[in-house]
């Protein structure tokens, strides 16, 4: 799942960001697999992902219901979502493992964490993909703090100008970090954008006076 490999941020921030992809293999076992993926959607959604979606419908951030996502699965169906804690991603994988439906499962996050709990679950990873960073004219890229948000949409559907506008809104008190996080993530239709982590990134721009007022409350 290479579009999820390029998420940027501190190790501490990335330990609150795990992506899950479950899919049938085209022309191998995708025929008649929709009901299996619907079962997986149900158990994954029950664990509590912070985002989940589909190319065909959009995501829960845009108000899409899980039943709509289940009904609109493609011919090669896929479940795409993300979690904000290691505990939840481990529980989701444990439940998928228990279903034993023969689907391919890919997890993205800090490699050492994933390898550790994979061993605990008795899972031997098929392979490990790593990002080799960004090459080329890096001076043309947005600042790192904006890239941390943009790279949570691996297909590049979030505009830097949208994020810059939302940062300005948070600084000006016109949006809360949570509101900004949801609005920033709505263009990302596949479900791997993490609004919980994004809200913490936007919170850095809350004016100091607002932080003091919130602390008093």
């Amino acid at each position: 799942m290479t579009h999820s490999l390029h998420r940027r941020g501190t190790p501490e921030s990335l330990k609150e960001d795990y992506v899950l992809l479950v899919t049938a293999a085209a022309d191998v076992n995708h025929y008649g697999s929709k009901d299996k993926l619907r079962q997986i959607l149900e158990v994954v959604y029950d664990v509590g992902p912070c985002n989940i979606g589909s190319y065909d419908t959009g995501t829960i951030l845009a108000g899409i219901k899980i039943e709509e996502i289940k009904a609109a699965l493609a011919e090669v169906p896929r479940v795409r979502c993300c979690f904000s804690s290691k505990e939840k991603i481990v529980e989701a994988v444990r439940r998928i493992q228990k279903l034993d439906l023969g689907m391919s499962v890919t997890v993205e996050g800090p490699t050492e964490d994933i390898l550790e709990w994979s061993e605990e679950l008795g899972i031997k990873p098929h392979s490990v993909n790593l990002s080799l960073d960004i090459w080329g004219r890096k001076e043309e890229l947005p600042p790192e703090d904006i890239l941390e948000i943009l790279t949570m949409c691996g297909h590049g559907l979030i505009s830097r100008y949208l994020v810059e506008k939302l940062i300005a809104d948070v600084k000006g008190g016109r949006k809360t970090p949570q509101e900004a996080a949801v609005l920033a993530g709505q263009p990302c239709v596949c479900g791997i954008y993490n609004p919980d982590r994004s809200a913490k990134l936007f919170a850095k721009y809350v004016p100091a006076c607002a932080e003091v007022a919130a602390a008093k409350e």
Side-chain angles (χ1 to χ4, degrees), residues 58-69:
T59 70
I60 58 174
L61 292 185
I64 303 301
K65 305 300 183 185
I66 190 66
E67 294 302 323
E68 296 177 77
I69 296 173

Side-chain angles (χ1 to χ4, degrees), residues 109-165:
T111 305
E112 64 276 11
D113 287 352
I114 295 172
L115 292 177
E116 178 183 340
W117 56 256
S118 293
E119 185 174 355
E120 293 173 3
L121 293 177
I123 297 171
K124 183 178 180 180
H126 172 276
S127 57
V128 177
N129 289 337
L130 301 173
S131 170
L132 296 180
D133 204 356
I134 298 171
W135 297 68
R137 300 179 61 185
K138 297 172 71 169
E139 68 275 8
E140 300 292 332
L141 293 171
E144 191 67 25
D145 57 344
I146 293 179
L147 282 175
E148 286 184 285
I149 297 172
L150 297 183
T151 54
M152 282 192 279
C153 176
H155 295 104
L157 297 181
I158 302 175
S159 166
R160 65 174 293 179
Y161 303 108
L162 172 61
V163 174
E164 289 170 352
K165 170 66 166 56

Side-chain angles (χ1 to χ4, degrees), residues 162-203:
L162 172 61
V163 174
E164 289 170 352
K165 170 66 166 56
L166 291 170
I167 288 173
D169 286 344
V170 171
K171 286 181 176 179
R174 295 180 293 275
K175 292 280 190 299
T176 66
Q178 292 74 20
E179 290 170 336
V182 170
L183 289 170
Q186 287 185 358
C188 180
V189 297
C190 80
I192 72 167
Y193 168 90
N194 187 327
D196 293 346
R197 178 179 171 228
S198 183
K200 291 185 177 182
L201 295 174
F202 277 112

Side-chain angles (χ1 to χ4, degrees), residues 16-60:
E16 298 179 339
D17 188 20
Y18 296 87
V19 174
L20 174 69
L21 168 69
V22 185
T23 182
D27 295 325
V28 177
N29 65 344
H30 85 275
Y31 301 106
S33 64
K34 287 186 181 183
D35 285 342
K36 293 180 180 180
L37 267 293
R38 290 185 179 113
Q39 290 183 60
I40 292 170
L41 264 173
E42 288 177 4
V43 300
V44 167
Y45 189 69
D46 186 60
V47 173
C50 58
N51 196 9
I52 188 168
S54 163
Y55 295 154
D56 302 291
T57 61
T59 70
I60 58 174

Side-chain angles (χ1 to χ4, degrees), residues 55-132:
Y55 295 154
D56 302 291
T57 61
T59 70
I60 58 174
L61 292 185
I64 303 301
K65 305 300 183 185
I66 190 66
E67 294 302 323
E68 296 177 77
I69 296 173
K70 287 167 62 177
L73 287 177
E75 285 306 308
V76 182
R78 291 174 178 170
V79 174
R80 298 180 183 87
C81 57
C82 60
F83 294 88
S84 297
S85 74
K86 181 174 72 172
E87 292 73 22
K88 285 191 174 183
I89 184 69
V90 171
E91 179 60 22
V93 173
R94 180 183 287 112
R95 294 190 187 188
I96 295 169
Q97 185 182 25
K98 187 175 181 180
L99 286 176
D100 193 21
L101 295 176
M103 298 296 103
S104 172
V105 178
T106 304
V107 177
E108 184 275 336
T111 305
E112 64 276 11
D113 287 352
I114 295 172
L115 292 177
E116 178 183 340
W117 56 256
S118 293
E119 185 174 355
E120 293 173 3
L121 293 177
I123 297 171
K124 183 178 180 180
H126 172 276
S127 57
V128 177
N129 289 337
L130 301 173
S131 170
L132 296 180

